[in-house]
Amino acid sequence: MVETYNPTTEPQAWDIAIERIKTLLLSGKALSAGASGGKDSTAVTILLLEALRQLVEEGHENLPTCFVMNSNTRRENPMIAGYCEDYLTKVNIFARANGLPLEVHQVEPPLTSRFSWTCIARGKLPRFPGQSRDCAVSEKINPMKNLVKSLEKEYGNEIIALVGSRVEESAARAQSMRKWSMDEITIVEVDGNRTYAPIATWYLEDVWELITGCSGSEDRPPRLFKTFMEDFNEIATLYRDANDGVCSVVVGNEGNRSACGSRFGCSYCTLSGKRDKSLESMVDESEQKYGFLRPFIAFRKFLLATRFDMDLRDFRGANVSKVKHFKVVPDYYSPEMKRDLLRFLLTMDADELDRAARHEKLFYAGKLEDTEHNRLLCYPMFQNLTFDDVLAIDFYWSLERDFPEASPAARDFIEIHDMRRRYYPPALEESPRVTIPKARWFDISGALPFDEDVEGIQGLVPLTVEMSALNISYGSELKVNPGDGYSYMEAIRRLYHELHLVDPSETCRAALDNGWIQISKGQLNRYERIATRNDYLRKLYFSTKPQYENERGDMALMSMNQFLISGSISDSEHNELLKEHEKELVKEQFEDDLFGIESVFDVIDSKNFGKPTKPRVKEKCLTNVDDFKMAANQLTISL
């Protein structure tokens, strides 16, 4: 006999959580659930939908509009990304079918927050184990925050985010939750957002019991609630396959208590350590199902292996000081490394197109079993880089004067996709950990100043070329206008054989003049200075023709990095220049001061000069969910 859910028995964890969510809804609080496709966010989504469904069924009107939100970084595990698309569609259908006041939204990071821009265009290193998760902030959290702000403005109601954080999940998660005083009864303020964790004290088994309890079939109703998915077999299978093929919680295998606690992140996330166990387990579990994921493993291993290889770094830092010195520090990837990463990802995309075509041919020839997954594999399962990404990369490489040729990223796209050239990340031993060289400073005071009376681009042309006005399309941020990535690639295809005659600076100028790239006026000033600085460095390097004596005793030409290091001053020497600069400014301001300026100079010469002060810690904002009961009861009475 099939066990049915009886709400009159002792309340279970989900009953308590649903009642608390209902209390918030009845008090007029708008709620959102983040839908990552994982087990914890799925549990929270089920709770929110069930709370709304019960209130609608009970006849409550004027409930606040709630939201299910997904943040797609564009480099998620392809299986999870595909699952999320189906997940969100079914949430939307369920909400409409049951008359729930709920909307579904998906956001993506803006162009300048994507891996293609930060790591490949600019050369910023990915986050490695032990470092901050600022990539998650820019790719996931900030786009979601912006969406929440716009929805709060549209609906005139503050949104409380329901999160799937659980103390039992990991020691790091427990520590973070204690830091924010986060538990199952308290609404807290995290980074300026009101947040509530309804499953904070749940165990992993509780999560899976709710999910499996909401799974049913055509001839068997769910044991708990009928929700947006008829069953959760797909996510259970993904967790099992990512957990060496075993999952006692889902399948009830008491002989192997290996719980389904796998974690799915970005497809080549380097924060999780030497191995992405979930990704590797999926490939090992079934080559036929998940073999297309193997290139991500190789790409990720390459990133980790080269972490401390200083030969793959660019010593052209991003900062210019008040005394017109350029920071020399290996904080970014070299142009050659950036181009390697581009080529590896483009090759993955091209190979995936070929794989899908081969699979489709075999499938429709009847040589593969007719299963839902085999039908799915007839299509490409991922795309790392779009035309828009390639255009943006070429735009920034042109600003940096990274290569002597025009449009190198687009050329690589054509050679890989059209001419079938391939590039694969080599299997390397991990570079030994080294001490990062201390920052030095290179004098660029000889770079041409900007003419304040001239409107347009000055730094985006070589120093020897006469400037011409550009037709610039301004906007709030850097972005590629719809369809213009394709237009750019078509233009490069037509000009492919003449590109060796084009100055590399022309790529960024053409992108702006044709309106393919839209930027803000603030970005224009910054990009002018980037281009001018790099033009000056190139001119100085080529005119100097710097050489050094190599280990064989022969004279050899210096690289740009060697040139910058040899011609720079130390950080302490640079600090002395800053102090003298400040003194000159003080002299101008206090020239007629009766009390003199020696005391001000003493402050400048002190050890603490220039050191940032500690920011004031903001007090936590805590609210107990039960505090809303009175408001909820009053609203209930008035109905």
Side-chain angles (χ1 to χ4, degrees):
M1 180 177 178
V2 177
E3 181 184 355
T4 58
Y5 176 58
N6 184 1
T8 62
T9 61
E10 182 178 349
Q12 299 297 311
W14 43 84
D15 297 315
I16 298 170
I18 288 170
E19 287 304 315
R20 287 176 176 147
I21 292 172
K22 288 168 69 175
T23 295
L24 292 174
L25 292 169
L26 287 173
S27 66
K29 299 299 178 184
L31 306 178
S32 71
S36 68
K39 61 190 184 309
D40 297 321
S41 72
T42 296
V44 171
T45 301
I46 291 172
L47 295 175
L48 174 60
L49 292 177
E50 180 60 18
L52 280 169
R53 190 198 64 77
Q54 289 183 18
L55 290 176
V56 169
E57 189 177 72
E58 292 165 9
H60 293 280
E61 298 178 354
N62 300 318
L63 293 171
T65 300
C66 296
F67 310 92
V68 170
M69 304 177 181
N70 171 259
S71 185
N72 180 8
T73 64
R74 300 169 56 93
R75 57 191 187 106
E76 301 291 322
N77 181 311
M79 291 303 301
I80 296 297
Y83 173 74
C84 278
E85 293 294 331
D86 182 54
Y87 180 110
L88 295 174
T89 299
K90 289 181 176 176
V91 167
N92 200 22
I93 292 172
F94 181 84
R96 300 288 78 75
N98 289 275
L100 307 185
L102 182 131
E103 295 179 359
V104 176
H105 293 272
Q106 186 177 55
V107 294
E108 293 183 351
L111 181 64
T112 52
S113 294
R114 301 175 193 168
F115 182 89
S116 58
W117 176 266
T118 56
C119 290
I120 298 181
R122 293 183 55 214
K124 181 180 178 181
L125 274 62
R127 301 298 87 184
F128 292 106
Q131 295 181 330
S132 70
R133 294 180 176 267
D134 61 346
C135 51
V137 173
S138 60
E139 294 180 59
K140 275 182 173 286
I141 297 174
N142 285 342
M144 192 69 80
K145 279 185 177 180
N146 293 335
L147 172 63
V148 169
K149 286 181 181 178
S150 66
L151 291 172
E152 287 180 335
K153 184 177 180 180
E154 179 181 352
Y155 287 92
N157 197 359
E158 182 185 44
I159 297 173
I160 297 175
L162 304 181
V163 297
S165 302
R166 294 184 298 108
V167 172
E168 186 243 7
E169 187 176 353
S170 67
R173 180 56 56 88
Q175 181 180 0
S176 175
M177 293 178 71
R178 284 194 296 270
K179 171 186 174 183
W180 297 105
S181 301
M182 188 182 291
D183 56 40
E184 78 281 9
I185 61 171
T186 309
I187 297 169
V188 302
E189 189 169 310
V190 180
D191 296 332
N193 294 315
R194 302 270 276 171
T195 304
Y196 175 47
I199 63 172
T201 56
W202 286 26
Y203 291 101
L204 182 63
E205 287 80 3
D206 297 324
V207 174
W208 279 115
E209 187 171 355
L210 173 63
I211 293 173
T212 56
C214 293
S215 292
S217 62
E218 291 183 1
D219 55 357
R220 180 179 63 82
R223 180 168 50 85
L224 297 181
F225 318 117
K226 180 176 175 58
T227 190
F228 64 100
M229 287 276 195
E230 182 178 64
D231 63 64
F232 291 90
N233 294 339
E234 184 175 356
I235 191 62
T237 299
L238 287 172
Y239 269 98
R240 184 187 63 226
D241 291 345
N243 197 56
D244 297 325
V246 292
C247 183
S248 60
V249 177
V250 175
V251 301
N253 180 4
E254 297 295 334
N256 188 333
R257 293 298 298 169
S258 178
C260 280
S262 305
R263 295 185 63 83
F264 298 98
C266 294
S267 50
Y268 41 88
C269 175
T270 46
L271 268 167
S272 57
K274 292 185 177 181
R275 294 181 58 207
D276 185 332
K277 295 179 182 179
S278 296
L279 187 62
E280 292 182 21
S281 177
M282 291 174 75
V283 175
D284 292 341
E285 179 65 20
S286 175
E287 181 72 28
Q288 193 276 326
K289 286 178 66 176
Y290 305 120
F292 69 91
L293 295 171
R294 191 175 292 280
F296 290 110
I297 298 174
F299 184 76
R300 182 179 178 278
K301 286 182 177 179
F302 176 79
L303 291 174
L304 288 166
T306 55
R307 176 180 180 180
F308 292 104
D309 189 343
M310 293 298 111
D311 290 337
L312 301 179
R313 300 289 184 90
D314 190 344
F315 280 70
R316 296 176 299 170
N319 297 328
V320 177
S321 71
K322 295 179 181 179
V323 290
K324 297 183 180 179
H325 275 63
F326 176 66
K327 196 171 187 179
V328 178
V329 61
D331 282 349
Y332 289 79
Y333 280 138
S334 69
E336 293 73 24
M337 177 63 165
K338 293 190 296 186
R339 195 166 188 179
D340 279 344
L341 298 182
L342 170 82
R343 287 169 166 173
F344 297 155
L345 292 180
L346 287 175
T347 296
M348 288 168 61
D349 287 347
D351 282 350
E352 177 60 12
L353 288 171
D354 290 346
R355 181 212 60 77
R358 291 194 303 271
H359 187 92
E360 181 183 31
K361 186 176 181 180
L362 291 172
F363 181 82
Y364 286 105
K367 298 181 179 179
L368 295 174
E369 185 181 358
D370 189 355
T371 64
E372 184 177 350
H373 192 77
N374 272 336
R375 287 183 175 274
L376 182 65
L377 289 175
C378 289
Y379 301 92
M381 297 297 289
F382 61 83
Q383 182 181 16
N384 292 305
L385 298 169
T386 65
F387 292 151
D388 291 359
D389 293 320
V390 173
L391 168 56
I393 290 167
D394 266 339
F395 174 76
Y396 200 83
W397 284 0
S398 178
L399 291 174
E400 292 272 9
R401 312 304 199 236
D402 277 343
F403 299 98
E405 59 185 296
S407 302
R411 288 176 62 94
D412 285 340
F413 184 98
I414 291 169
E415 289 174 2
I416 290 169
H417 279 275
D418 298 3
M419 303 177 182
R420 306 192 63 78
R421 185 172 293 180
R422 296 291 186 263
Y423 300 89
Y424 299 101
L428 302 175
E429 292 294 327
E430 190 172 329
S431 299
R433 181 181 291 268
V434 298
T435 301
I436 305 299
K438 292 183 178 180
R440 298 180 64 81
W441 297 86
F442 191 93
D443 184 0
I444 59 166
S445 59
L448 287 181
F450 292 112
D451 183 349
E452 300 295 341
D453 297 327
V454 177
E455 177 73 22
I457 305 295
Q458 301 177 78
L460 301 187
V461 294
L463 300 182
T464 57
V465 177
E466 183 178 352
M467 186 188 70
S468 59
L470 296 180
N471 180 28
I472 300 174
S473 176
Y474 290 111
S476 59
E477 61 181 356
L478 186 145
K479 68 177 184 179
V480 175
N481 296 312
D484 284 341
Y486 176 81
S487 298
Y488 171 67
M489 288 301 305
E490 287 300 294
I492 297 304
R493 280 194 174 95
R494 290 194 303 270
L495 299 171
Y496 178 84
H497 296 289
E498 290 80 36
L499 283 176
H500 65 285
L501 303 174
V502 179
D503 189 280
S505 68
E506 287 302 311
T507 301
C508 60
R509 286 176 55 78
L512 292 169
D513 199 34
N514 287 289
W516 295 331
I517 289 278
Q518 185 181 97
I519 61 174
S520 68
K521 289 192 175 182
Q523 287 172 320
L524 173 62
N525 294 331
R526 175 170 169 261
Y527 293 153
E528 281 185 332
R529 282 159 177 76
I530 290 173
T532 298
R533 182 173 68 232
N534 284 292
D535 273 333
Y536 174 74
L537 290 176
R538 287 178 66 212
K539 180 181 179 182
L540 193 62
Y541 172 77
F542 289 124
S543 63
T544 307
K545 300 182 178 67
Q547 299 183 43
Y548 73 104
E549 186 175 323
N550 63 23
E551 61 275 8
R552 297 187 301 274
D554 300 326
M555 296 306 296
L557 189 66
M558 284 186 180
S559 66
M560 176 62 82
N561 283 347
Q562 290 173 316
F563 172 63
L564 292 174
I565 294 170
S566 65
S568 57
I569 61 175
S570 68
D571 205 38
S572 59
E573 291 173 308
H574 179 253
N575 282 334
E576 291 302 317
L577 291 179
L578 286 175
K579 290 178 181 180
E580 292 302 317
H581 174 71
E582 290 296 323
K583 289 179 180 180
E584 290 299 320
L585 293 179
V586 169
K587 282 181 182 180
E588 294 177 7
Q589 295 175 5
F590 294 88
E591 188 172 7
D592 298 326
D593 196 293
L594 295 176
F595 298 98
I597 58 175
E598 295 305 319
S599 60
V600 182
F601 284 177
D602 289 341
V603 174
I604 293 175
D605 290 330
S606 68
K607 291 183 179 180
N608 292 327
F609 173 75
K611 288 189 177 181
T613 57
K614 289 185 178 181
R616 186 168 64 89
V617 178
K618 186 177 180 181
E619 294 183 4
K620 297 174 184 176
C621 178
L622 309 178
T623 306
N624 193 301
V625 175
D626 292 335
D627 294 344
F628 293 98
K629 280 188 176 180
M630 181 176 293
N633 290 335
Q634 290 174 344
L635 288 170
T636 303
I637 293 170
S638 66
L639 291 175

